[in-house]
């Protein structure tokens, strides 16, 4: 008998060792299996033998480079300062803060920094960028009002000290706020410390490209510059102030040892000489030569951990879906479906925590039979701009807060479902004029929301009701195994839109003894405005050996903020 254990990352073939007697050796049979599964991008990982049982383990879904034509697969807007570097490796600034990027010229450093900037902007980060050589980064000022880029050689020296003094002031201000918060809300019982996120403060990131060039221009002021920079990297992490330094050479003339030791995220791009590698990573272990033709390839290490090879994002057609083999398309579509299933739960939680005041559920439809989702998304973005302009005229201080998903009808027409949070009253006729493309349906979300089918949806279930629309077309998408075509082109278009000012979902894990947990759960059952039970797969007791996932029960409760605070105060 042969047992096949499969999850999204691993395929295990488990059998009695007698089962391979028709092959000269275990290794020969491993080669036969490898030849079968290589077409589906499963690579041999390891072989285990124990008590007459042999297990062949294949790792699946090769690490893929991020393709900017499919950047929506890597939505980071609610990821809490997590920056995906490829399909498996991500950089979390909140846990692995300041970064040092070392690279030669023309190897992809600028694209890596572009990618970091892109992800940070989506996550509502305030950016200060110094580009002393006045290269491509110096053109970013016009993109977003949260970007402050300095590249003018005549003023850059004074600009850098102006920004450093501003960051020092932010450190003092945020430290004072954090101290007051710690005094008024001690968490000594569970050992959790507050940080800038508890103060609802946006992160600030200072990016200095070509650090050595900047220091050369500072001349006699270099010591003052390094002192201020060191203070920021030492005190900034908990306060939401982060530093990213890029340079071609890593030595004491470029970066002081005190600053370098505080950079817990270390990146290289392209080949580096052995002396530079030792200065960056401490040794050359695990680093192999990179081909000259490989642009944007390098090595990284987080918090002194293992040095790993990584292909950083590039803005080109790498990984273009239409150029994939049929096996690649099947695997990538499956991965997308899993991604959107997870995102659906994230959206539900995002709606839950933002449902304050008077909210509205709005459906936008096109008068014409619009099936091109790319065109529809462009028109939707134009509508949001017109709506902001209209609301700004009514109240310049008002900030539009919304979350929207698109969907196709049975006739394949595109339409949109939107939740507007803390939304003022607007006449339907005015709303339709602002939309301008067809019919609008508006439902108020107060205690209950009456749907167009006459169903009464309690406010506590609105998030569940809206999230069911999300990724509906993705779940139904399938590949024709004869032609390689997908029956729905929505898989490669943006699936949802949201304003950057929504309150973010923050996760916090707490561990309790069985008796305390039982008491908490009983109280949550009484106070919960919504509750559900479901099963998920987690690593089993022999996961390391057999990569086995076992079912685990989960109890899910939604509590009001007031009840939550009262419950956990006890």
């Amino acid at each position: 008998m042969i047992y096949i254990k499969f999850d999204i990352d691993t395929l295990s073939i488990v059998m009695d060792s007698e089962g391979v007697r028709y092959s000269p050796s275990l290794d020969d049979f491993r080669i036969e299996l490898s030849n079968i599964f290589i077409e589906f991008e499963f690579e041999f990982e390891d072989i285990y033998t124990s008590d007459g049982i042999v297990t062949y383990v294949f790792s699946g879904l090769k690490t893929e480079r991020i393709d900017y034509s499919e950047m929506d697969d890597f939505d980071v807007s609610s990821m809490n300062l997590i920056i995906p570097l490829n399909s498996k490796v991500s950089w979390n600034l909140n846990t692995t803060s300041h970064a040092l990027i070392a690279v030669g010229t023309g190897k992809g450093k600028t694209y890596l920094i572009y990618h970091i900037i892109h992800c940070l902007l989506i996550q509502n980060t305030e950016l200060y960028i110094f580009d002393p050589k006045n290269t491509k980064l110096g053109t970013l000022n016009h993109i977003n009002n949260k970007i402050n880029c300095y590249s003018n050689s005549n003023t850059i020296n004074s600009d850098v000290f102006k920004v450093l003094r501003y960051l020092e002031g932010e450190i003092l201000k945020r430290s004072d706020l954090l101290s007051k918060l710690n005094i008024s809300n001690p968490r000594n019982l569970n050992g959790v410390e507050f940080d800038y996120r508890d103060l609802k403060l946006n992160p600030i990131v200072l990016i200095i490209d070509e650090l050595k060039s900047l220091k050369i221009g500072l001349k006699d002021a270099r010591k003052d510059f390094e002192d201020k920079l060191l203070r920021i990297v030492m005190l900034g992490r908990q306060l939401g102030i982060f530093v990213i330094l890029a340079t071609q050479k890593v030595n004491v003339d470029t970066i002081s040892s005190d600053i370098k030791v505080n950079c817990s995220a270390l990146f290289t791009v392209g080949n580096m000489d052995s002396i530079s590698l030792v200065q960056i990573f401490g040794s050359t272990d695990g680093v192999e030569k990179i081909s000259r033709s490989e642009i944007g390839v390098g090595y990284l290490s987080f918090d002194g951990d293992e040095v790993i090879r990584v292909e950083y994002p590039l803005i080109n057609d790498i990984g273009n879906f239409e150029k994939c083999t049929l096996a690649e398309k099947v695997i990538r579509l499956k991965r997308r479906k899993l991604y959107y299933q997870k995102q659906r739960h994230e959206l539900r939680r995002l709606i839950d925590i933002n449902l304050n005041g008077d909210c509205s559920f709005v459906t936008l439809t096109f008068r014409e039979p619009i099936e091109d989702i790319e065109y529809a998304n462009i028109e939707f973005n134009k509508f949001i701009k017109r709506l902001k302009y209209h609301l700004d005229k009514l109240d310049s201080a008002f900030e539009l807060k919304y979350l929207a998903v698109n969907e196709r009808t049975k006739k394949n027409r595109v339409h949109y479902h939107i939740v507007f949070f803390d939304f003022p009253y607007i006449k339907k006729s005015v709303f339709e004029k602002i939309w301008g493309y067809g019919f609008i349906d508006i439902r108020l979300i107060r205690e209950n929301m009456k749907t167009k089918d006459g169903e009464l949806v309690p406010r506590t279930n609105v998030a569940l009701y809206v999230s069911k629309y999300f990724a509906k077309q993705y779940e139904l998408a399938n590949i024709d195994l004869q032609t390689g075509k997908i029956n729905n082109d929505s898989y490669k278009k943006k699936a949802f839109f949201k304003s950057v000012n929504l309150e973010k979902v923050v996760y916090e894990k707490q561990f309790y003894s069985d008796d305390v947990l039982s008491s908490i759960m009983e109280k949550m059952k009484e106070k919960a405005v919504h509750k559900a039970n479901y099963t998920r797969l987690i690593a089993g007791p022999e996961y390391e050996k057999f990569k086995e996932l076992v079912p685990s029960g989960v109890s899910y409760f939604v509590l009001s903020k007031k009840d939550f605070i009262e419950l956990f105060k006890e």
Side-chain angles (χ1 to χ4, degrees):
M1 296 181 69
I2 298 176
Y3 295 89
I4 299 176
K5 298 180 180 180
F6 175 78
D7 62 34
I8 191 61
D9 293 315
T10 307
L11 175 69
S12 300
I13 310 296
V14 185
M15 65 178 73
D16 187 280
S17 58
E18 286 291 310
V20 295
R21 65 183 181 274
Y22 298 111
S23 188
S25 69
L26 296 178
D27 192 60
D28 286 347
F29 193 61
R30 187 266 305 171
I31 294 172
E32 292 177 20
L33 288 174
S34 297
N35 290 335
I36 293 171
F37 295 117
I38 190 66
E39 182 183 356
F40 299 99
E41 291 200 359
F42 281 89
E43 295 182 319
F44 176 74
E45 185 175 290
D46 212 339
I47 181 172
Y48 303 98
T49 55
S50 176
D51 299 326
I53 300 296
V54 58
T55 303
Y56 297 89
V57 180
F58 295 83
S59 60
L61 292 178
K62 291 179 182 177
T63 301
E64 292 189 6
R65 203 169 199 167
I66 292 178
D67 173 14
Y68 261 75
S69 67
E70 300 176 356
M71 196 50 199
D72 290 331
D73 275 2
F74 296 89
D75 178 69
V76 296
S77 55
S78 59
M79 288 178 68
N80 202 12
L81 280 194
I82 295 176
I83 297 175
L85 297 170
N86 59 36
S87 61
K88 290 186 178 179
V89 179
S90 294
W91 171 29
N92 186 339
L93 270 74
N94 284 316
T95 57
T96 308
S97 49
H98 316 296
L100 175 62
I101 303 173
V103 66
T105 57
K107 294 300 180 183
K109 174 197 64 176
T110 302
Y111 287 128
L112 171 59
I113 295 177
Y114 273 152
H115 172 67
I116 292 170
I117 290 171
H118 172 82
C119 294
L120 292 174
L121 280 178
I122 294 174
Q123 299 184 74
N124 211 26
T125 305
E126 189 178 334
L127 290 168
Y128 292 88
I129 304 168
F130 284 88
D131 179 19
K133 287 193 173 180
N134 197 13
T135 57
K136 297 176 182 178
L137 294 177
T139 63
L140 297 176
N141 270 323
H142 68 282
I143 293 177
N144 189 292
N145 60 9
K146 289 191 173 294
I147 293 181
N148 304 275
C149 190
Y150 304 92
S151 58
N152 188 326
S153 58
N154 295 322
T155 62
I156 197 166
N157 290 356
S158 59
D159 288 336
V160 72
F161 282 103
K162 179 176 69 175
V163 170
L164 292 178
R165 284 192 294 270
Y166 163 72
L167 296 180
E168 286 181 320
E170 279 294 306
I171 285 175
L172 291 173
K173 183 172 69 175
R174 294 183 176 205
S175 295
D176 184 53
L177 291 172
L178 208 55
S179 297
K180 292 176 180 177
L181 188 62
N182 277 310
I183 291 170
S184 60
N185 296 280
R187 293 188 186 179
N188 298 332
L189 291 178
N190 52 30
V192 177
E193 292 184 0
F194 286 108
D195 64 23
Y196 73 101
R197 290 167 289 181
D198 297 288
L199 297 169
K200 309 298 181 186
L201 295 171
N202 288 333
I204 301 173
V205 175
L206 169 65
I207 299 175
I208 300 178
D209 192 14
E210 302 294 351
L211 177 61
K212 187 172 182 178
S213 296
L214 182 64
K215 286 182 66 176
I216 289 173
L218 292 173
K219 298 180 181 177
D220 296 337
R222 293 179 203 173
K223 179 68 168 60
D224 190 20
F225 165 77
E226 286 199 337
D227 288 344
K228 291 181 181 298
L229 188 61
L230 177 60
R231 176 176 168 78
I232 291 166
V233 297
M234 290 180 67
L235 301 177
R237 186 188 67 81
Q238 190 178 18
L239 304 172
I241 299 174
F242 307 98
V243 174
I244 299 171
L245 305 173
T247 183
Q248 291 185 30
K249 292 289 183 181
V250 180
N251 52 44
V252 291
D253 294 329
T254 303
I255 181 170
S256 73
S257 57
D258 289 333
I259 293 176
K260 180 183 172 297
V261 79
N262 279 281
C263 294
S264 47
L266 303 173
F267 302 86
T268 65
V269 187
N271 283 313
M272 308 290 294
D273 58 70
S274 57
I275 294 175
S276 296
L277 288 170
V278 171
Q279 289 172 330
I280 297 164
F281 297 124
S283 75
T284 59
D285 294 347
V287 180
E288 298 177 356
K289 190 172 181 180
I290 297 169
S291 168
R292 289 186 177 183
S293 62
E294 295 182 289
I295 305 298
V297 178
Y299 287 85
L300 63 80
S301 174
F302 295 140
D303 296 312
D305 289 343
E306 177 188 7
V307 178
I308 61 172
R309 187 181 191 274
V310 62
E311 293 182 325
Y312 299 112
L314 282 179
I315 305 173
N316 58 18
D317 64 352
I318 290 175
N320 184 280
F321 191 88
E322 298 304 330
K323 296 180 181 179
C324 292
T325 65
L326 178 60
E328 288 171 335
K329 287 182 179 180
V330 170
I331 291 170
R332 291 180 70 176
L333 182 61
K334 183 173 183 177
R335 189 182 71 245
R336 275 197 184 90
K337 287 184 177 182
L338 290 172
Y339 166 79
Y340 283 114
Q341 286 173 11
K342 181 179 177 181
Q343 284 296 103
R344 184 171 179 172
H345 295 297
E346 293 298 308
L347 289 182
R348 176 178 170 181
R349 292 179 174 90
L350 196 60
I351 293 171
D352 269 333
I353 65 172
N354 282 279
L355 276 177
N356 298 313
D358 287 338
C359 304
S360 297
F361 178 65
V362 176
T363 300
L364 306 177
T365 57
F366 287 91
R367 189 178 299 105
E368 301 298 325
I370 303 298
E371 297 182 10
D372 185 341
I373 198 163
E374 187 170 9
Y375 166 80
N377 284 346
I378 291 171
E379 298 307 317
F380 174 80
N381 281 320
K382 290 179 182 178
F383 157 72
I384 291 295
K385 290 178 181 178
R386 292 194 297 270
L387 181 59
K388 285 181 178 178
Y389 177 75
H390 174 81
L391 293 170
D392 186 60
K393 288 196 299 182
L394 298 177
D395 181 0
S396 59
F398 179 78
E399 289 189 16
L400 181 64
K401 297 172 65 176
Y402 67 91
L403 185 146
V405 299
N406 57 39
E407 186 196 10
R408 289 186 181 274
T409 65
K410 291 180 181 179
K411 294 183 179 179
N412 208 33
R413 297 181 180 181
V414 181
H415 59 282
Y416 295 86
H417 302 287
I418 317 168
V419 178
F420 289 107
F421 304 97
D422 299 323
F423 196 64
Y425 171 75
I426 298 179
K427 285 185 179 180
K428 185 178 179 182
S429 58
V430 175
F431 220 136
E432 286 185 336
K433 187 176 180 181
I434 297 170
W435 168 232
Y437 297 109
F439 179 71
I440 283 184
D441 183 75
I442 303 175
R443 307 280 164 174
L444 293 179
I445 307 173
R446 286 176 179 158
E447 292 305 315
N448 294 312
M449 181 183 75
K450 190 173 184 180
T451 70
K452 60 183 178 181
D453 300 322
E455 178 187 358
L456 282 177
V457 178
R459 185 183 178 103
T460 52
N461 286 346
V462 166
L464 179 63
Y465 178 79
V466 176
S467 65
K468 75 178 183 181
Y469 293 108
F470 176 69
K472 194 174 178 182
Q473 62 267 36
Y474 298 86
E475 293 168 3
L476 298 175
N478 288 297
I479 292 178
D480 186 320
L481 298 181
Q482 298 297 320
T483 65
K485 299 291 184 182
I486 290 187
N487 61 354
N488 188 334
D489 70 346
S490 300
Y491 72 92
K492 57 183 179 181
K493 306 301 178 186
K494 191 169 180 65
F496 71 97
F497 305 81
K498 60 178 180 286
S499 57
V500 296
N501 55 353
L502 294 181
E503 186 173 346
K504 293 181 174 61
V505 180
V506 178
Y507 294 93
E508 199 173 280
K509 290 185 178 180
Q510 301 290 343
F511 297 91
Y512 300 96
S513 61
D514 288 346
D515 56 335
V516 173
L517 183 61
S518 297
S519 174
I520 289 174
M521 288 189 66
E522 286 302 317
K523 292 176 181 177
M524 284 199 292
K525 287 177 184 177
E526 295 174 10
K527 296 179 178 293
V529 294
H530 175 73
K531 50 193 171 186
N533 293 296
Y534 59 91
T535 302
R536 68 173 180 178
L537 295 177
I538 63 171
E542 295 190 89
Y543 182 77
E544 290 300 321
K545 188 174 181 180
F546 296 111
K547 303 296 182 185
E548 181 183 21
L549 296 175
V550 297
S552 174
V554 177
S555 297
Y556 180 79
F557 301 96
V558 177
L559 289 84
S560 70
K561 190 172 183 179
K562 179 183 175 183
D563 286 339
F564 177 84
I565 292 171
E566 288 298 320
L567 178 62
F568 285 91
K569 217 183 249 182
E570 300 173 13

